[in-house]
Amino acid sequence: MKTSRLLPALIPTLMLSLTPLSACSSPTPNSSTSTATETRLTSLEQQIAQLNTRLSASASPSAAANSTSTTSSDPEAIKELRVDPDPISVSVGSSTKLSLVLLVQNNEQTTVAKNFNLFGISSSDTSIATVSADGNITGVRAGSTQITLRLGNVSKSVTVNVTAPAATPAPTPTPTPEPTPSPTPTPSTEIKAISVSPASYTIVVNNSATIATIVVTLQDGNTGILNNREAVTWSSSDTSVATINQSGVISAKSTGSATITVSYKGVSTTIPVTVTASAS
């Protein structure tokens, strides 16, 4: 009964990780949005409680034989996982990370999962690509394989295309190598907008500040916090006044004003930064 020992320990993490991310965004939701969020969260918590009950009952073989999955007609039940990017392209010796996993319910509502550790993640061929518990995929050798995510009875398989690194020219003439096929273009995520909290910064010269939160708004209106900052592009309109690194840390260089631009999958937002000689 390995599963019955493992899944109950997972349930507290699942309850925390399935919180709709609209509750995590910095703007205060209106009363109707808050009520809808609480209703969805209550339904997800009920699903988890039912799962816990079935796991407890599965301690005996007869109970396990009679256990069933969540009723498919439940509008709040999770019916599908959606993963971005899909498919995934990575070169040998390099790594990439899954950016988003969406939980799709029977009523077509979606929630962004923040904690990859609540999923079972595996590679069908670890000699081609491996995957860690936090969704980090590493290319081992050229080829294609499948990465599968599992959450209860729901699973999603994603193709991983691993390409060989560019060949180093030999000192003597050699036959021209076959061109490496271009990977299938990755479809863009259904992202409507991004925002940053706080929305502006005032920093004293030679000090720094870190952008606290990046909020992603999906086309269906759901919001979530983007944790993978390596996927974000940062730039400053005047690096003599302020610079920003890949981790989102703004460094004040000299007094004046600059604009920080934050871009993710073709969607951008800007942050005004004022650098002062001393604290106000």
mmCIF file of all heavy atoms in Angstrom, residues 67-116:
data_model
loop_
_atom_site.group_PDB
_atom_site.id
_atom_site.type_symbol
_atom_site.label_atom_id
_atom_site.label_comp_id
_atom_site.label_asym_id
_atom_site.label_seq_id
_atom_site.Cartn_x
_atom_site.Cartn_y
_atom_site.Cartn_z
ATOM 1 N N SER A 67 -13.151 1.314 -4.237
ATOM 2 C CA SER A 67 -12.910 2.755 -4.325
ATOM 3 C C SER A 67 -13.132 3.225 -5.749
ATOM 4 O O SER A 67 -12.946 2.495 -6.705
ATOM 5 C CB SER A 67 -11.485 3.079 -3.880
ATOM 6 O OG SER A 67 -10.556 2.484 -4.750
ATOM 7 N N THR A 68 -13.561 4.523 -5.893
ATOM 8 C CA THR A 68 -13.801 5.104 -7.207
ATOM 9 C C THR A 68 -13.137 6.461 -7.277
ATOM 10 O O THR A 68 -12.788 7.054 -6.261
ATOM 11 C CB THR A 68 -15.311 5.260 -7.474
ATOM 12 O OG1 THR A 68 -15.872 6.098 -6.465
ATOM 13 C CG2 THR A 68 -16.012 3.915 -7.465
ATOM 14 N N SER A 69 -12.974 6.992 -8.488
ATOM 15 C CA SER A 69 -12.397 8.316 -8.678
ATOM 16 C C SER A 69 -13.462 9.378 -8.468
ATOM 17 O O SER A 69 -14.638 9.083 -8.341
ATOM 18 C CB SER A 69 -11.805 8.428 -10.092
ATOM 19 O OG SER A 69 -12.812 8.238 -11.038
ATOM 20 N N THR A 70 -13.055 10.672 -8.452
ATOM 21 C CA THR A 70 -13.986 11.784 -8.289
ATOM 22 C C THR A 70 -15.035 11.747 -9.394
ATOM 23 O O THR A 70 -14.721 11.510 -10.550
ATOM 24 C CB THR A 70 -13.229 13.122 -8.348
ATOM 25 O OG1 THR A 70 -12.226 13.121 -7.346
ATOM 26 C CG2 THR A 70 -14.183 14.284 -8.131
ATOM 27 N N THR A 71 -16.292 11.972 -9.035
ATOM 28 C CA THR A 71 -17.380 11.931 -10.023
ATOM 29 C C THR A 71 -17.110 12.902 -11.151
ATOM 30 O O THR A 71 -16.941 14.095 -10.928
ATOM 31 C CB THR A 71 -18.712 12.272 -9.342
ATOM 32 O OG1 THR A 71 -18.909 11.384 -8.256
ATOM 33 C CG2 THR A 71 -19.856 12.165 -10.328
ATOM 34 N N SER A 72 -17.112 12.390 -12.390
ATOM 35 C CA SER A 72 -16.750 13.216 -13.536
ATOM 36 C C SER A 72 -17.752 14.312 -13.798
ATOM 37 O O SER A 72 -17.455 15.293 -14.451
ATOM 38 C CB SER A 72 -16.575 12.337 -14.783
ATOM 39 O OG SER A 72 -17.797 11.683 -15.073
ATOM 40 N N SER A 73 -19.018 14.159 -13.289
ATOM 41 C CA SER A 73 -20.035 15.183 -13.529
ATOM 42 C C SER A 73 -19.911 16.363 -12.590
ATOM 43 O O SER A 73 -20.603 17.356 -12.761
ATOM 44 C CB SER A 73 -21.421 14.546 -13.386
ATOM 45 O OG SER A 73 -21.601 14.045 -12.075
ATOM 46 N N ASP A 74 -19.059 16.286 -11.566
ATOM 47 C CA ASP A 74 -18.847 17.401 -10.643
ATOM 48 C C ASP A 74 -18.239 18.567 -11.412
ATOM 49 O O ASP A 74 -17.135 18.452 -11.947
ATOM 50 C CB ASP A 74 -17.909 16.952 -9.521
ATOM 51 C CG ASP A 74 -17.682 18.058 -8.499
ATOM 52 O OD1 ASP A 74 -18.177 19.190 -8.707
ATOM 53 O OD2 ASP A 74 -16.987 17.791 -7.500
ATOM 54 N N PRO A 75 -18.921 19.726 -11.485
ATOM 55 C CA PRO A 75 -18.377 20.840 -12.291
ATOM 56 C C PRO A 75 -17.061 21.382 -11.761
ATOM 57 O O PRO A 75 -16.306 22.007 -12.488
ATOM 58 C CB PRO A 75 -19.498 21.888 -12.221
ATOM 59 C CG PRO A 75 -20.258 21.564 -10.968
ATOM 60 C CD PRO A 75 -20.212 20.062 -10.854
ATOM 61 N N GLU A 76 -16.762 21.140 -10.456
ATOM 62 C CA GLU A 76 -15.524 21.656 -9.878
ATOM 63 C C GLU A 76 -14.384 20.648 -9.951
ATOM 64 O O GLU A 76 -13.254 20.960 -9.561
ATOM 65 C CB GLU A 76 -15.761 22.040 -8.401
ATOM 66 C CG GLU A 76 -16.844 23.085 -8.182
ATOM 67 C CD GLU A 76 -16.450 24.443 -8.733
ATOM 68 O OE1 GLU A 76 -15.234 24.669 -8.860
ATOM 69 O OE2 GLU A 76 -17.327 25.263 -9.025
ATOM 70 N N ALA A 77 -14.671 19.426 -10.428
ATOM 71 C CA ALA A 77 -13.631 18.400 -10.481
ATOM 72 C C ALA A 77 -12.570 18.760 -11.520
ATOM 73 O O ALA A 77 -12.865 19.348 -12.550
ATOM 74 C CB ALA A 77 -14.246 17.045 -10.807
ATOM 75 N N ILE A 78 -11.316 18.414 -11.223
ATOM 76 C CA ILE A 78 -10.220 18.676 -12.165
ATOM 77 C C ILE A 78 -10.251 17.616 -13.252
ATOM 78 O O ILE A 78 -10.175 16.419 -12.978
ATOM 79 C CB ILE A 78 -8.869 18.667 -11.435
ATOM 80 C CG1 ILE A 78 -8.820 19.802 -10.415
ATOM 81 C CG2 ILE A 78 -7.720 18.802 -12.421
ATOM 82 C CD1 ILE A 78 -7.653 19.734 -9.485
ATOM 83 N N LYS A 79 -10.393 18.068 -14.520
ATOM 84 C CA LYS A 79 -10.506 17.113 -15.630
ATOM 85 C C LYS A 79 -9.274 17.085 -16.511
ATOM 86 O O LYS A 79 -9.081 16.148 -17.282
ATOM 87 C CB LYS A 79 -11.724 17.465 -16.486
ATOM 88 C CG LYS A 79 -11.575 18.773 -17.290
ATOM 89 C CD LYS A 79 -12.680 18.944 -18.309
ATOM 90 C CE LYS A 79 -12.476 20.189 -19.178
ATOM 91 N NZ LYS A 79 -13.492 20.305 -20.229
ATOM 92 N N GLU A 80 -8.404 18.108 -16.424
ATOM 93 C CA GLU A 80 -7.314 18.208 -17.407
ATOM 94 C C GLU A 80 -6.176 19.041 -16.838
ATOM 95 O O GLU A 80 -6.381 19.958 -16.039
ATOM 96 C CB GLU A 80 -7.851 18.868 -18.687
ATOM 97 C CG GLU A 80 -6.829 19.037 -19.804
ATOM 98 C CD GLU A 80 -7.395 19.818 -20.974
ATOM 99 O OE1 GLU A 80 -8.603 20.157 -20.966
ATOM 100 O OE2 GLU A 80 -6.611 20.115 -21.900
ATOM 101 N N LEU A 81 -4.951 18.687 -17.243
ATOM 102 C CA LEU A 81 -3.766 19.505 -16.969
ATOM 103 C C LEU A 81 -3.287 20.110 -18.283
ATOM 104 O O LEU A 81 -3.228 19.433 -19.295
ATOM 105 C CB LEU A 81 -2.633 18.651 -16.356
ATOM 106 C CG LEU A 81 -2.947 17.877 -15.079
ATOM 107 C CD1 LEU A 81 -1.720 17.070 -14.661
ATOM 108 C CD2 LEU A 81 -3.376 18.795 -13.963
ATOM 109 N N ARG A 82 -2.951 21.401 -18.262
ATOM 110 C CA ARG A 82 -2.347 22.044 -19.426
ATOM 111 C C ARG A 82 -0.971 22.564 -19.027
ATOM 112 O O ARG A 82 -0.816 23.141 -17.957
ATOM 113 C CB ARG A 82 -3.214 23.203 -19.923
ATOM 114 C CG ARG A 82 -4.564 22.760 -20.471
ATOM 115 C CD ARG A 82 -5.399 23.951 -20.919
ATOM 116 N NE ARG A 82 -6.743 23.535 -21.308
ATOM 117 C CZ ARG A 82 -7.736 24.378 -21.542
ATOM 118 N NH1 ARG A 82 -7.528 25.695 -21.434
ATOM 119 N NH2 ARG A 82 -8.932 23.930 -21.882
ATOM 120 N N VAL A 83 -0.006 22.339 -19.909
ATOM 121 C CA VAL A 83 1.389 22.634 -19.587
ATOM 122 C C VAL A 83 1.957 23.615 -20.601
ATOM 123 O O VAL A 83 1.632 23.555 -21.789
ATOM 124 C CB VAL A 83 2.230 21.328 -19.586
ATOM 125 C CG1 VAL A 83 3.691 21.634 -19.317
ATOM 126 C CG2 VAL A 83 1.692 20.359 -18.547
ATOM 127 N N ASP A 84 2.771 24.547 -20.139
ATOM 128 C CA ASP A 84 3.493 25.462 -21.031
ATOM 129 C C ASP A 84 4.963 25.459 -20.631
ATOM 130 O O ASP A 84 5.270 25.568 -19.435
ATOM 131 C CB ASP A 84 2.944 26.887 -20.925
ATOM 132 C CG ASP A 84 3.671 27.848 -21.852
ATOM 133 O OD1 ASP A 84 3.444 27.754 -23.067
ATOM 134 O OD2 ASP A 84 4.499 28.624 -21.364
ATOM 135 N N PRO A 85 5.907 25.306 -21.572
ATOM 136 C CA PRO A 85 5.666 25.138 -23.016
ATOM 137 C C PRO A 85 5.273 23.712 -23.380
ATOM 138 O O PRO A 85 5.524 22.784 -22.633
ATOM 139 C CB PRO A 85 7.021 25.496 -23.631
ATOM 140 C CG PRO A 85 8.026 25.151 -22.572
ATOM 141 C CD PRO A 85 7.355 25.448 -21.261
ATOM 142 N N ASP A 86 4.664 23.542 -24.532
ATOM 143 C CA ASP A 86 4.239 22.231 -25.047
ATOM 144 C C ASP A 86 4.185 22.314 -26.575
ATOM 145 O O ASP A 86 3.339 23.015 -27.115
ATOM 146 C CB ASP A 86 2.864 21.873 -24.493
ATOM 147 C CG ASP A 86 2.351 20.514 -24.979
ATOM 148 O OD1 ASP A 86 3.142 19.795 -25.631
ATOM 149 O OD2 ASP A 86 1.183 20.185 -24.709
ATOM 150 N N PRO A 87 5.089 21.632 -27.318
ATOM 151 C CA PRO A 87 6.165 20.759 -26.841
ATOM 152 C C PRO A 87 7.341 21.560 -26.270
ATOM 153 O O PRO A 87 7.369 22.771 -26.342
ATOM 154 C CB PRO A 87 6.575 19.990 -28.105
ATOM 155 C CG PRO A 87 6.278 20.955 -29.214
ATOM 156 C CD PRO A 87 5.024 21.689 -28.801
ATOM 157 N N ILE A 88 8.333 20.809 -25.741
ATOM 158 C CA ILE A 88 9.504 21.410 -25.108
ATOM 159 C C ILE A 88 10.731 21.121 -25.964
ATOM 160 O O ILE A 88 10.905 20.001 -26.449
ATOM 161 C CB ILE A 88 9.697 20.834 -23.691
ATOM 162 C CG1 ILE A 88 8.480 21.169 -22.826
ATOM 163 C CG2 ILE A 88 10.983 21.353 -23.055
ATOM 164 C CD1 ILE A 88 8.414 20.381 -21.549
ATOM 165 N N SER A 89 11.581 22.127 -26.163
ATOM 166 C CA SER A 89 12.824 21.962 -26.919
ATOM 167 C C SER A 89 14.008 22.304 -26.025
ATOM 168 O O SER A 89 13.997 23.323 -25.329
ATOM 169 C CB SER A 89 12.828 22.869 -28.159
ATOM 170 O OG SER A 89 11.796 22.513 -29.049
ATOM 171 N N VAL A 90 15.017 21.459 -26.033
ATOM 172 C CA VAL A 90 16.216 21.682 -25.222
ATOM 173 C C VAL A 90 17.388 21.009 -25.929
ATOM 174 O O VAL A 90 17.210 20.012 -26.631
ATOM 175 C CB VAL A 90 16.023 21.125 -23.788
ATOM 176 C CG1 VAL A 90 15.861 19.614 -23.800
ATOM 177 C CG2 VAL A 90 17.170 21.540 -22.867
ATOM 178 N N SER A 91 18.579 21.575 -25.792
ATOM 179 C CA SER A 91 19.754 20.969 -26.412
ATOM 180 C C SER A 91 20.470 20.071 -25.415
ATOM 181 O O SER A 91 20.270 20.175 -24.200
ATOM 182 C CB SER A 91 20.710 22.059 -26.920
ATOM 183 O OG SER A 91 21.141 22.882 -25.861
ATOM 184 N N VAL A 92 21.315 19.186 -25.932
ATOM 185 C CA VAL A 92 22.070 18.264 -25.086
ATOM 186 C C VAL A 92 22.929 19.055 -24.106
ATOM 187 O O VAL A 92 23.617 20.002 -24.484
ATOM 188 C CB VAL A 92 22.952 17.335 -25.944
ATOM 189 C CG1 VAL A 92 23.870 16.502 -25.051
ATOM 190 C CG2 VAL A 92 22.099 16.434 -26.820
ATOM 191 N N GLY A 93 22.870 18.689 -22.824
ATOM 192 C CA GLY A 93 23.657 19.354 -21.793
ATOM 193 C C GLY A 93 23.028 20.614 -21.242
ATOM 194 O O GLY A 93 23.549 21.198 -20.295
ATOM 195 N N SER A 94 21.902 21.048 -21.812
ATOM 196 C CA SER A 94 21.222 22.250 -21.331
ATOM 197 C C SER A 94 19.960 21.861 -20.572
ATOM 198 O O SER A 94 19.501 20.728 -20.635
ATOM 199 C CB SER A 94 20.868 23.172 -22.498
ATOM 200 O OG SER A 94 22.033 23.604 -23.163
ATOM 201 N N SER A 95 19.417 22.853 -19.854
ATOM 202 C CA SER A 95 18.194 22.614 -19.080
ATOM 203 C C SER A 95 17.171 23.701 -19.376
ATOM 204 O O SER A 95 17.516 24.816 -19.768
ATOM 205 C CB SER A 95 18.498 22.598 -17.567
ATOM 206 O OG SER A 95 19.360 21.532 -17.241
ATOM 207 N N THR A 96 15.913 23.357 -19.191
ATOM 208 C CA THR A 96 14.812 24.320 -19.299
ATOM 209 C C THR A 96 13.783 23.949 -18.256
ATOM 210 O O THR A 96 13.803 22.850 -17.697
ATOM 211 C CB THR A 96 14.190 24.310 -20.709
ATOM 212 O OG1 THR A 96 13.272 25.395 -20.821
ATOM 213 C CG2 THR A 96 13.462 23.008 -20.997
ATOM 214 N N LYS A 97 12.868 24.874 -17.971
ATOM 215 C CA LYS A 97 11.918 24.644 -16.890
ATOM 216 C C LYS A 97 10.497 24.860 -17.392
ATOM 217 O O LYS A 97 10.246 25.749 -18.200
ATOM 218 C CB LYS A 97 12.200 25.605 -15.734
ATOM 219 C CG LYS A 97 11.479 25.274 -14.430
ATOM 220 C CD LYS A 97 11.953 26.202 -13.330
ATOM 221 C CE LYS A 97 11.278 25.888 -11.995
ATOM 222 N NZ LYS A 97 11.697 24.588 -11.468
ATOM 223 N N LEU A 98 9.589 24.036 -16.911
ATOM 224 C CA LEU A 98 8.173 24.256 -17.198
ATOM 225 C C LEU A 98 7.760 25.589 -16.584
ATOM 226 O O LEU A 98 8.015 25.850 -15.422
ATOM 227 C CB LEU A 98 7.326 23.127 -16.601
ATOM 228 C CG LEU A 98 7.497 21.743 -17.234
ATOM 229 C CD1 LEU A 98 6.737 20.703 -16.417
ATOM 230 C CD2 LEU A 98 6.989 21.743 -18.666
ATOM 231 N N SER A 99 7.126 26.457 -17.395
ATOM 232 C CA SER A 99 6.751 27.783 -16.904
ATOM 233 C C SER A 99 5.437 27.769 -16.142
ATOM 234 O O SER A 99 5.330 28.340 -15.068
ATOM 235 C CB SER A 99 6.648 28.776 -18.074
ATOM 236 O OG SER A 99 7.890 28.926 -18.712
ATOM 237 N N LEU A 100 4.418 27.099 -16.707
ATOM 238 C CA LEU A 100 3.085 27.119 -16.107
ATOM 239 C C LEU A 100 2.428 25.751 -16.220
ATOM 240 O O LEU A 100 2.591 25.057 -17.214
ATOM 241 C CB LEU A 100 2.173 28.139 -16.809
ATOM 242 C CG LEU A 100 2.488 29.624 -16.651
ATOM 243 C CD1 LEU A 100 1.591 30.430 -17.579
ATOM 244 C CD2 LEU A 100 2.294 30.074 -15.220
ATOM 245 N N VAL A 101 1.680 25.381 -15.169
ATOM 246 C CA VAL A 101 0.792 24.222 -15.222
ATOM 247 C C VAL A 101 -0.594 24.712 -14.805
ATOM 248 O O VAL A 101 -0.766 25.269 -13.723
ATOM 249 C CB VAL A 101 1.248 23.083 -14.288
ATOM 250 C CG1 VAL A 101 0.226 21.956 -14.306
ATOM 251 C CG2 VAL A 101 2.611 22.558 -14.711
ATOM 252 N N LEU A 102 -1.582 24.541 -15.696
ATOM 253 C CA LEU A 102 -2.950 24.965 -15.418
ATOM 254 C C LEU A 102 -3.797 23.751 -15.055
ATOM 255 O O LEU A 102 -3.726 22.718 -15.711
ATOM 256 C CB LEU A 102 -3.563 25.658 -16.641
ATOM 257 C CG LEU A 102 -2.881 26.931 -17.137
ATOM 258 C CD1 LEU A 102 -3.648 27.477 -18.334
ATOM 259 C CD2 LEU A 102 -2.798 27.972 -16.056
ATOM 260 N N LEU A 103 -4.591 23.875 -13.994
ATOM 261 C CA LEU A 103 -5.550 22.852 -13.604
ATOM 262 C C LEU A 103 -6.904 23.266 -14.174
ATOM 263 O O LEU A 103 -7.426 24.333 -13.840
ATOM 264 C CB LEU A 103 -5.639 22.744 -12.080
ATOM 265 C CG LEU A 103 -4.304 22.583 -11.338
ATOM 266 C CD1 LEU A 103 -4.553 22.510 -9.846
ATOM 267 C CD2 LEU A 103 -3.550 21.357 -11.820
ATOM 268 N N VAL A 104 -7.486 22.438 -15.054
ATOM 269 C CA VAL A 104 -8.749 22.765 -15.730
ATOM 270 C C VAL A 104 -9.862 21.942 -15.102
ATOM 271 O O VAL A 104 -9.779 20.717 -15.033
ATOM 272 C CB VAL A 104 -8.667 22.481 -17.243
ATOM 273 C CG1 VAL A 104 -9.944 22.921 -17.937
ATOM 274 C CG2 VAL A 104 -7.455 23.189 -17.843
ATOM 275 N N GLN A 105 -10.899 22.632 -14.635
ATOM 276 C CA GLN A 105 -12.034 21.957 -14.026
ATOM 277 C C GLN A 105 -13.110 21.656 -15.076
ATOM 278 O O GLN A 105 -13.064 22.175 -16.195
ATOM 279 C CB GLN A 105 -12.612 22.830 -12.906
ATOM 280 C CG GLN A 105 -11.612 23.077 -11.766
ATOM 281 C CD GLN A 105 -12.115 24.130 -10.806
ATOM 282 O OE1 GLN A 105 -11.634 25.241 -10.803
ATOM 283 N NE2 GLN A 105 -13.086 23.772 -9.993
ATOM 284 N N ASN A 106 -14.096 20.819 -14.698
ATOM 285 C CA ASN A 106 -15.170 20.462 -15.627
ATOM 286 C C ASN A 106 -15.951 21.680 -16.102
ATOM 287 O O ASN A 106 -16.509 21.683 -17.191
ATOM 288 C CB ASN A 106 -16.132 19.464 -14.970
ATOM 289 C CG ASN A 106 -15.557 18.054 -14.976
ATOM 290 O OD1 ASN A 106 -14.716 17.720 -15.803
ATOM 291 N ND2 ASN A 106 -15.979 17.229 -14.034
ATOM 292 N N ASN A 107 -16.010 22.736 -15.268
ATOM 293 C CA ASN A 107 -16.722 23.956 -15.666
ATOM 294 C C ASN A 107 -15.834 24.924 -16.436
ATOM 295 O O ASN A 107 -16.173 26.082 -16.616
ATOM 296 C CB ASN A 107 -17.306 24.645 -14.434
ATOM 297 C CG ASN A 107 -16.225 25.014 -13.413
ATOM 298 O OD1 ASN A 107 -15.029 24.944 -13.708
ATOM 299 N ND2 ASN A 107 -16.638 25.416 -12.231
ATOM 300 N N GLU A 108 -14.658 24.430 -16.893
ATOM 301 C CA GLU A 108 -13.692 25.172 -17.708
ATOM 302 C C GLU A 108 -12.981 26.281 -16.943
ATOM 303 O O GLU A 108 -12.239 27.070 -17.530
ATOM 304 C CB GLU A 108 -14.359 25.763 -18.962
ATOM 305 C CG GLU A 108 -14.967 24.728 -19.895
ATOM 306 C CD GLU A 108 -13.967 23.668 -20.356
ATOM 307 O OE1 GLU A 108 -12.776 23.978 -20.448
ATOM 308 O OE2 GLU A 108 -14.378 22.523 -20.617
ATOM 309 N N GLN A 109 -13.185 26.389 -15.628
ATOM 310 C CA GLN A 109 -12.396 27.324 -14.837
ATOM 311 C C GLN A 109 -10.967 26.782 -14.733
ATOM 312 O O GLN A 109 -10.751 25.571 -14.685
ATOM 313 C CB GLN A 109 -12.995 27.484 -13.426
ATOM 314 C CG GLN A 109 -14.341 28.193 -13.411
ATOM 315 C CD GLN A 109 -14.222 29.652 -13.824
ATOM 316 O OE1 GLN A 109 -13.335 30.357 -13.356
ATOM 317 N NE2 GLN A 109 -15.088 30.095 -14.717
ATOM 318 N N THR A 110 -9.983 27.679 -14.720
ATOM 319 C CA THR A 110 -8.579 27.248 -14.641
ATOM 320 C C THR A 110 -7.909 27.876 -13.437
ATOM 321 O O THR A 110 -8.249 28.981 -13.015
ATOM 322 C CB THR A 110 -7.802 27.643 -15.907
ATOM 323 O OG1 THR A 110 -7.877 29.069 -16.075
ATOM 324 C CG2 THR A 110 -8.347 26.954 -17.133
ATOM 325 N N THR A 111 -6.952 27.128 -12.882
ATOM 326 C CA THR A 111 -6.157 27.601 -11.753
ATOM 327 C C THR A 111 -4.699 27.300 -12.043
ATOM 328 O O THR A 111 -4.367 26.230 -12.543
ATOM 329 C CB THR A 111 -6.590 26.888 -10.449
ATOM 330 O OG1 THR A 111 -7.969 27.138 -10.217
ATOM 331 C CG2 THR A 111 -5.785 27.405 -9.266
ATOM 332 N N VAL A 112 -3.809 28.248 -11.750
ATOM 333 C CA VAL A 112 -2.374 28.047 -11.966
ATOM 334 C C VAL A 112 -1.785 27.354 -10.750
ATOM 335 O O VAL A 112 -1.931 27.825 -9.623
ATOM 336 C CB VAL A 112 -1.656 29.388 -12.201
ATOM 337 C CG1 VAL A 112 -0.169 29.158 -12.419
ATOM 338 C CG2 VAL A 112 -2.246 30.124 -13.392
ATOM 339 N N ALA A 113 -1.131 26.191 -10.964
ATOM 340 C CA ALA A 113 -0.461 25.469 -9.876
ATOM 341 C C ALA A 113 0.921 26.067 -9.665
ATOM 342 O O ALA A 113 1.688 26.226 -10.601
ATOM 343 C CB ALA A 113 -0.357 23.983 -10.203
ATOM 344 N N LYS A 114 1.232 26.415 -8.417
ATOM 345 C CA LYS A 114 2.522 27.035 -8.111
ATOM 346 C C LYS A 114 3.577 26.008 -7.693
ATOM 347 O O LYS A 114 4.756 26.228 -7.901
ATOM 348 C CB LYS A 114 2.355 28.055 -6.973
ATOM 349 C CG LYS A 114 1.489 29.257 -7.315
ATOM 350 C CD LYS A 114 1.544 30.287 -6.208
ATOM 351 C CE LYS A 114 0.954 29.767 -4.924
ATOM 352 N NZ LYS A 114 0.983 30.775 -3.853
ATOM 353 N N ASN A 115 3.165 24.915 -7.081
ATOM 354 C CA ASN A 115 4.108 23.970 -6.489
ATOM 355 C C ASN A 115 4.203 22.711 -7.344
ATOM 356 O O ASN A 115 3.297 21.877 -7.342
ATOM 357 C CB ASN A 115 3.647 23.624 -5.070
ATOM 358 C CG ASN A 115 4.630 22.738 -4.343
ATOM 359 O OD1 ASN A 115 5.692 22.390 -4.881
ATOM 360 N ND2 ASN A 115 4.315 22.371 -3.121
ATOM 361 N N PHE A 116 5.300 22.558 -8.092
ATOM 362 C CA PHE A 116 5.473 21.380 -8.939
ATOM 363 C C PHE A 116 5.615 20.111 -8.105
ATOM 364 O O PHE A 116 5.391 19.020 -8.605
ATOM 365 C CB PHE A 116 6.709 21.550 -9.825
ATOM 366 C CG PHE A 116 6.474 22.431 -11.019
ATOM 367 C CD1 PHE A 116 6.876 23.757 -11.006
ATOM 368 C CD2 PHE A 116 5.830 21.962 -12.143
ATOM 369 C CE1 PHE A 116 6.657 24.586 -12.090
ATOM 370 C CE2 PHE A 116 5.597 22.774 -13.233
ATOM 371 C CZ PHE A 116 6.012 24.085 -13.208
#
